[in-house]
Amino acid sequence: MKGYNFRDILAFLAVARERSFTRAAAQLGVSQSALSHTIRGLETRLGLRLLIRTTRSVSPTEAGERLIQSVAPRFKVIADELEAFDELREKPIGTVRITTSDFAANTVLWPKLSQLQPQYPDIKIELTIDAGLTDIVEERYDAGVRFGD
């Protein structure tokens, strides 16, 4: 990838969106000079001018507009997906796979899990009753419960 840095592209998108190095720099928490240097470096690596700069305005060139149209939606999708992970941190969700013996399931697990389930309806519990020993890592179980040695 010729040493492209996604931060550089995000910086370009901020300048293009704000149409201002000053506002984009404030938004990104960097100096205007550092932002200008970042954009110049990106343009050099791409071998294309991305922004038309005057003392009063900043606007994308044709190549800059093409970059905006092609990558901005993709970065939006990525940002949206990363935000969706926040929901996972806020409430437990997913499948918990447990392999266990019949006795352990009936005497220990079901009584406890039946109390837990109403509090966390987005958790799916998958119990596998198996008298033998199971490699929980290989079989992708979250836990294995057995009585005895």
Side-chain angles (χ1 to χ4, degrees), residues 2 11 20 24 54 59 77 79 88 92 96 106 123 125 134 143-144:
K2 287 188 178 183
S20 163
T54 68
S59 61
V77 168
L88 295 177
V96 177
N106 290 322
I123 295 179
I125 299 169
T134 301

Side-chain angles (χ1 to χ4, degrees), residues 26-40:
Q27 185 182 76
L28 297 170
V30 298
S31 71
Q32 189 175 344
S33 173
L35 182 55
S36 180
H37 181 74
T38 296
I39 300 301
R40 249 183 278 117

Side-chain angles (χ1 to χ4, degrees), residues 12-13 16 49-51 60-69:
F12 161 74
L13 292 173
R49 190 165 180 110
L50 299 173
L51 296 169
T61 63
E62 186 177 330
E65 193 60 48
R66 181 175 170 189
L67 184 60
I68 293 165
Q69 296 301 316

Side-chain angles (χ1 to χ4, degrees), residues 79-90:
D80 290 348
E81 287 298 319
L82 291 173
E83 281 183 31
F85 282 110
D86 288 341
E87 292 176 16
L88 295 177
R89 279 192 297 277
E90 292 172 10

Side-chain angles (χ1 to χ4, degrees), residues 18-141:
E18 296 298 324
R19 305 279 176 150
S20 163
F21 275 88
T22 303
R23 286 190 302 269
Q27 185 182 76
L28 297 170
V30 298
S31 71
Q32 189 175 344
S33 173
L35 182 55
S36 180
H37 181 74
T38 296
I39 300 301
R40 249 183 278 117
L42 177 61
E43 289 175 326
T44 299
R45 284 189 300 283
L46 290 172
L48 296 167
R49 190 165 180 110
L50 299 173
L51 296 169
I52 299 168
R53 303 159 178 85
T54 68
T55 55
R56 294 184 180 199
S57 68
V58 176
S59 61
T61 63
E62 186 177 330
E65 193 60 48
R66 181 175 170 189
L67 184 60
I68 293 165
Q69 296 301 316
S70 64
V71 302
R74 290 176 171 94
F75 277 111
K76 170 101 173 78
V77 168
I78 292 168
D80 290 348
E81 287 298 319
L82 291 173
E83 281 183 31
F85 282 110
D86 288 341
E87 292 176 16
L88 295 177
R89 279 192 297 277
E90 292 172 10
K91 62 179 181 174
I93 188 170
T95 301
V96 177
R97 297 185 70 226
I98 302 171
T99 177
T100 186
S101 67
D102 188 39
F103 180 76
N106 290 322
T107 60
V108 177
L109 293 173
W110 276 127
K112 296 295 182 187
L113 294 174
S114 64
Q115 295 171 5
L116 180 77
Q117 193 68 52
Q119 295 172 10
Y120 301 101
D122 293 327
I123 295 179
K124 177 183 170 192
I125 299 169
E126 184 182 302
L127 280 182
T128 301
I129 308 297
D130 183 1
L133 294 178
T134 301
D135 183 338
I136 63 173
V137 174
E138 184 178 314
E139 298 294 324
R140 300 184 55 121
Y141 282 99

